Amino acid sequence: MPESATLNPPIDEHLLDELVPPPGPLWRRAILWVAFLGMVGAISWAATSGTVIPQVSTSVVAWGGTGPVGVTSEVMNDSRVAIEVVDGARPRPGLKLMGYTTEPNASSEFAPTESPSDRFPLRLEPDQSVDLTAWYRVTDCQAVEDIDPGDGEIELQVRIADGPAAWFTAGRTIDAKGVEPIDSPQMSWPAGVAYRACAG
């Protein structure tokens, strides 16, 4: 190998200057950083405040019955703006969805007579809550029993009620792991809801 040959040829500094332009004035860089941080802050605020992405808190407050059976979830609007609940708990094997009601302290006398009844969209103003009950007719107890015991979440679909973000529907889940008889743990929430109806 000749002495002049080298594996790492020298870098042409003039070419490097063309590829990486010198930094601009300090004030211009400061404005760009402020704009960038402001944009990140605005996006974070919009996402966490519920202005663009709906924020809700939920809990299961009642379940069961001898037929029809129901599961009631409290849904609270934690957003700064009004939201709409556009869908609730869905059918499960052995449980035919009859519909939904919003009466507090729901009992079977409030169960829908039509199949299914539609309460949606259900509008909630900021800090407003509703007790949303999904009513089911038990059609096959064995099918309900065979549902995976890990099925411990109820689906919910929500969206911002007004404005440009109203087209975006977000999925939320309601923790329903406590929906089970004390003497028969380790069952899915549908099995817990249908427990008394199937035992009788």
Side-chain angles (χ1 to χ4, degrees):
M1 178 182 293
E3 290 184 8
S4 60
T6 176
L7 296 176
N8 298 311
I11 297 174
D12 186 345
E13 294 183 2
H14 297 294
L15 179 61
L16 188 61
D17 287 341
E18 291 178 13
L19 295 174
V20 182
L26 182 59
W27 64 267
R28 184 182 300 163
R29 283 181 284 163
I31 289 175
L32 290 174
W33 271 109
V34 168
F36 172 74
L37 293 175
M39 183 179 66
V40 170
I43 292 172
S44 299
W45 176 84
T48 58
S49 69
T51 305
V52 175
I53 300 174
Q55 302 294 318
V56 295
S57 53
T58 58
S59 61
V60 175
V61 294
W63 64 88
T66 56
V69 299
V71 57
T72 303
S73 304
E74 182 186 34
V75 181
M76 167 74 79
N77 179 11
D78 295 328
S79 301
R80 292 174 177 265
V81 295
I83 66 168
E84 289 179 339
V85 181
V86 294
D87 203 3
R90 305 310 303 155
R92 288 294 196 276
L95 292 179
K96 180 180 180 182
L97 180 64
M98 297 172 62
Y100 306 88
T101 58
T102 55
E103 288 80 7
N105 304 317
S107 62
S108 58
E109 65 188 79
F110 294 113
T113 55
E114 301 174 7
S115 182
S117 65
D118 188 2
R119 305 288 297 191
F120 305 116
L122 185 61
R123 186 182 178 98
L124 295 177
E125 298 297 330
D127 298 321
Q128 184 181 2
S129 66
V130 66
D131 288 338
L132 180 63
T133 302
W135 292 99
Y136 298 93
R137 183 175 295 113
V138 181
T139 58
D140 186 339
C141 288
Q142 187 58 53
V144 176
E145 270 185 48
D146 292 341
I147 296 174
D148 182 358
D151 187 353
E153 293 182 336
I154 297 172
E155 304 86 359
L156 192 68
Q157 296 291 320
V158 294
R159 68 185 178 203
I160 299 297
D162 305 302
W167 62 270
F168 174 70
T169 300
R172 294 289 181 264
T173 55
I174 303 169
D175 183 4
K177 291 185 175 64
V179 182
E180 55 193 22
I182 296 175
D183 58 345
S184 300
Q186 302 301 318
M187 63 172 55
S188 66
W189 74 261
V193 169
Y195 181 76
R196 284 179 58 202
C198 289

